[in-house]
């Protein structure tokens, strides 16, 4: 890293955080309330750098606001909070549309471009250059931490996956043992999810994860940060795998927080009612 960039990043980290920005994160990124003071400080530094180093563009008539940029940045930076490699070096541009746009397929093109679309959430993760998001879906995914669905976590998990050049559901890992463990746990989870979907069983992980290993990692990341205690309870091996990869434990954060228990209990009650 150049001396100039290092100095610029240090200055960004030291800049004060406007109150309005803190309000936006409190409102739109509920998991951040569980972070301790040191983690909060680190996250805000990361957010500042992320905001400054990416090119942001509103598309389809959308005018970008602080609310949009900070909501997206806070979630993207939460994923990498404890990772050695931060700021998604492959992502140069973040394009935001007002709502879902017309993409209805998922395919991996020759340049590693992954395009996908669903009726309720639509985004794109490009291997070199861009993340495309629907603001309506990004905001809805962030504001409801109990549904285990989060478009920004999903798309940026794809970016972590692709740091090694391939969208194969495995991000760069430290050694061979880590890769072996990753394949075993993910293979078991994939088989489990496919069987559950075939039997029409309600699952904690989005059935979309049956598409392939890349989608499984993305939907697992959504649940890891939105429903960490439920994931720990029902998919312990997967939870521990992601905890070791992300180097943070969202379930323990919720355990320690006074509001945490109520939140997850309500989520479980809601989940059970929906399944009836
Ligand atoms: Zn995806």
């Amino acid at each position: 890293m150049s001396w100039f960039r290092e100095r610029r990043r240090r200055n960004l980290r030291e800049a004060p955080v406007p109150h309005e920005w803190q309000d936006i994160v409190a409102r739109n990124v509920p998991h951040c309330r569980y972070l301790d003071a040191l983690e909060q400080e680190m996250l805000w530094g990361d957010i500042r750098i992320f905001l400054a180093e990416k090119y942001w563009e509103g598309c389809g008539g959308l005018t970008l606001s602080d609310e949009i940029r900070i909501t997206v940045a806070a979630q993207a930076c939460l994923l990498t909070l404890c990772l050695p490699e931060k700021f998604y070096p492959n992502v140069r541009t973040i394009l935001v549309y007002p709502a879902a746009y017309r993409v209805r397929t998922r395919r991996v093109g020759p340049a590693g471009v992954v395009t996908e679309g669903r009726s309720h959430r639509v985004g794109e993760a490009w291997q070199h250059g861009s993340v495309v998001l629907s603001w309506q879906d990004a905001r809805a995914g962030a504001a409801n931490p109990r549904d285990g669905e989060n478009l920004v976590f999903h798309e940026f998990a794809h970016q972590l996956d692709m740091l090694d050049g391939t969208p194969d559901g495995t991000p760069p890992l430290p050694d061979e043992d880590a890769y072996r463990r990753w394949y075993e746990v993910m293979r078991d989870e994939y088989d489990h999810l496919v069987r559950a979907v075939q039997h029409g069983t309600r699952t904690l992980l989005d059935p979309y994860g049956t598409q392939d290993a890349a989608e499984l990692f993305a939907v697992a990341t959504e649940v890891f940060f939105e429903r960490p205690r439920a994931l720990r309870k029902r998919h312990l091996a997967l939870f521990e795998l992601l905890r070791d990869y992300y180097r943070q434990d969202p379930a323990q954060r919720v355990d320690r927080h006074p509001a945490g228990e109520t939140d997850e209990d309500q989520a479980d009650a809601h989940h059970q009612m929906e399944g009836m």
Side-chain angles (χ1 to χ4, degrees):
M1 185 166 34
S2 74
W3 170 83
F4 176 75
R5 186 163 70 172
E6 205 170 336
R7 190 184 64 170
R8 194 183 51 195
R9 285 184 172 180
R10 202 167 49 238
N11 290 339
L12 284 163
R13 284 196 184 281
E14 285 165 3
V17 180
H19 282 300
E20 303 82 63
W21 291 19
Q22 295 182 28
D23 291 344
I24 291 166
V25 166
R27 197 165 57 238
N28 290 351
V29 193
H31 187 76
C32 289
R33 84 167 89 152
Y34 302 125
L35 302 181
D36 64 29
L38 200 68
E39 290 171 326
Q40 300 250 5
E41 192 186 326
M42 195 159 63
L43 182 68
W44 277 112
D46 290 356
I47 292 171
R48 281 234 182 245
I49 293 167
F50 188 88
L51 287 171
E53 295 187 357
K54 304 303 175 194
Y55 179 72
W56 297 77
E57 194 177 323
C59 306
L62 182 75
T63 305
L64 286 180
S65 61
D66 278 351
E67 177 160 29
I68 294 170
R69 294 186 315 132
I70 287 158
T71 302
V72 172
Q75 293 174 91
C77 293
L78 179 63
L79 260 52
T80 56
L81 187 66
C82 305
L83 292 181
E85 170 106 84
K86 293 191 179 199
F87 311 119
Y88 304 91
N90 294 340
V91 178
R92 283 191 293 274
T93 308
I94 294 158
L95 304 165
V96 190
Y97 284 82
Y101 45 92
R102 286 180 170 277
V103 177
R104 291 285 172 194
T105 55
R106 181 185 187 279
R107 63 192 164 78
V108 180
V113 178
V114 178
T115 308
E116 59 193 315
R118 275 177 285 176
S119 55
H120 63 294
R121 84 172 106 127
V122 179
E124 285 169 77
W126 291 60
Q127 189 165 352
H128 292 290
S130 312
V131 168
V132 189
L133 299 165
S134 141
W135 169 235
Q136 189 182 56
D137 296 277
R139 185 174 49 185
N144 184 348
R146 292 172 190 154
D147 59 3
E149 293 188 6
N150 185 299
L151 179 66
V152 180
F153 290 158
H154 184 105
E155 296 307 331
F156 281 91
H158 281 320
Q159 290 298 336
L160 294 173
D161 176 8
M162 292 191 289
L163 277 175
D164 58 6
T166 37
D168 60 357
T170 310
L173 297 171
D175 54 43
E176 246 177 70
D177 283 348
Y179 279 103
R180 203 171 302 125
R181 177 185 174 204
W182 189 278
Y183 296 140
E184 280 172 16
V185 172
M186 286 299 192
R187 186 198 56 214
D188 289 351
E189 287 294 339
Y190 185 80
D191 292 345
H192 182 83
L193 189 60
V194 167
R195 275 197 306 275
V197 170
Q198 280 168 350
H199 289 108
T201 313
R202 191 176 168 79
T203 55
L204 181 63
L205 297 174
D206 192 322
Y208 194 58
T210 59
Q211 292 267 332
D212 56 33
E215 295 309 333
L216 182 64
F217 172 51
V219 302
T221 293
E222 293 177 70
V223 176
F224 180 69
F225 285 97
E226 288 222 331
R227 303 283 316 278
R229 299 203 326 171
L231 190 69
R232 185 179 60 189
K233 197 165 140 190
R234 299 183 217 171
H235 301 259
L236 184 61
L238 177 61
F239 175 85
E240 289 176 338
L241 186 78
L242 296 177
R243 181 197 62 196
D244 295 348
Y245 167 65
Y246 282 109
R247 304 183 189 203
Q248 47 179 320
D249 188 337
Q252 199 174 63
R253 279 192 199 118
V254 180
D255 286 340
R256 285 176 181 165
H257 196 277
E261 192 148 354
T262 326
D263 278 4
E264 283 251 338
D265 285 349
Q266 282 174 0
D268 268 342
H270 180 65
H271 207 247
Q272 277 161 14
M273 269 170 61
E274 275 187 340
M276 281 162 66

